[in-house]
Amino acid sequence: EIAAEVAVIDEGRIVQRGTAAELAGAPASAFVAGFTGASVLPGFARRREDGLTAVVLEGGGEVLSSDVAQGPVAAVVHPWDVTLADPAARAEPVSAQNRLHATVTGVTALGTRARIALALPAPLAAEVTSDSVARLRLRPGAPTIATWKATVTRLVPR
């Protein structure tokens, strides 16, 4: 542990202060979210009748969040919350409502796991096991489907 509290400075002023877990769990802005290692997907939010917030992503696609927001936002998701699937496989029913087609742009081995860089309208990262890299044949240029739950999608101002 380096410090009990972290202060994030943007353009010369402190924009958020707290523990590393607090910053990652509730970033005050897209800048703070990116600082914590989360993927930041800019878009435009609108509330739906079912209580979820839909975010139309810049460049295409839509994601859902259980957060309440309206107007310009950034949808924030951490790599460990993203799962990947083979687009050719039959889709099994899952509770994860966010499902986007993506292309792998990079694979970085991290011991028994790997960080997968994905191309969407904005960059997205996923963290999977080394076994999943082999089983899903994840390599630059490979198509995949990224999924994650609406409940882990934070919405922050941008």
Side-chain angles (χ1 to χ4, degrees), residues 24 51-52 88 102 120 135 138:
L52 293 176
L120 293 170
R135 187 171 34 80
L138 299 172

Side-chain angles (χ1 to χ4, degrees), residues 42-157:
F44 191 85
R46 65 172 172 72
R47 291 291 285 167
R48 296 184 351 167
E49 288 183 15
D50 63 3
L52 293 176
T53 300
V55 179
V56 176
L57 300 177
E58 290 180 2
E62 181 178 273
V63 297
L64 298 175
S65 175
S66 56
D67 285 1
V68 176
Q70 195 77 19
V73 297
V76 174
V77 63
H78 290 280
W80 50 84
D81 290 323
V82 178
T83 61
L84 300 178
D86 181 346
R90 182 174 151 327
E92 297 295 324
V94 295
S95 63
Q97 294 188 28
N98 293 315
R99 182 178 172 86
L100 295 173
H101 288 266
T103 301
V104 175
T105 58
V107 177
T108 304
L110 304 165
T112 59
R113 63 190 202 288
R115 178 72 54 101
I116 311 301
L118 303 166
L120 293 170
L124 179 70
E127 195 170 292
V128 300
T129 64
S130 299
D131 179 61
S132 292
V133 172
R135 187 171 34 80
L136 295 171
R137 296 179 299 282
L138 299 172
R139 66 193 180 298
T144 191
I145 296 175
T147 63
W148 67 93
K149 294 184 173 201
T151 56
V152 300
T153 309
R154 300 283 62 86
L155 300 180
V156 297

Side-chain angles (χ1 to χ4, degrees), residues 8 15-17 19-40 67 74-78 152-158:
V8 179
V15 293
Q16 189 170 358
R17 176 180 291 172
T19 66
E22 290 169 341
L23 270 60
S29 68
F31 179 80
V32 174
F35 179 79
T36 67
S39 296
V40 178
D67 285 1
V76 174
V77 63
H78 290 280
V152 300
T153 309
R154 300 283 62 86
L155 300 180
V156 297
R158 52 175 183 121

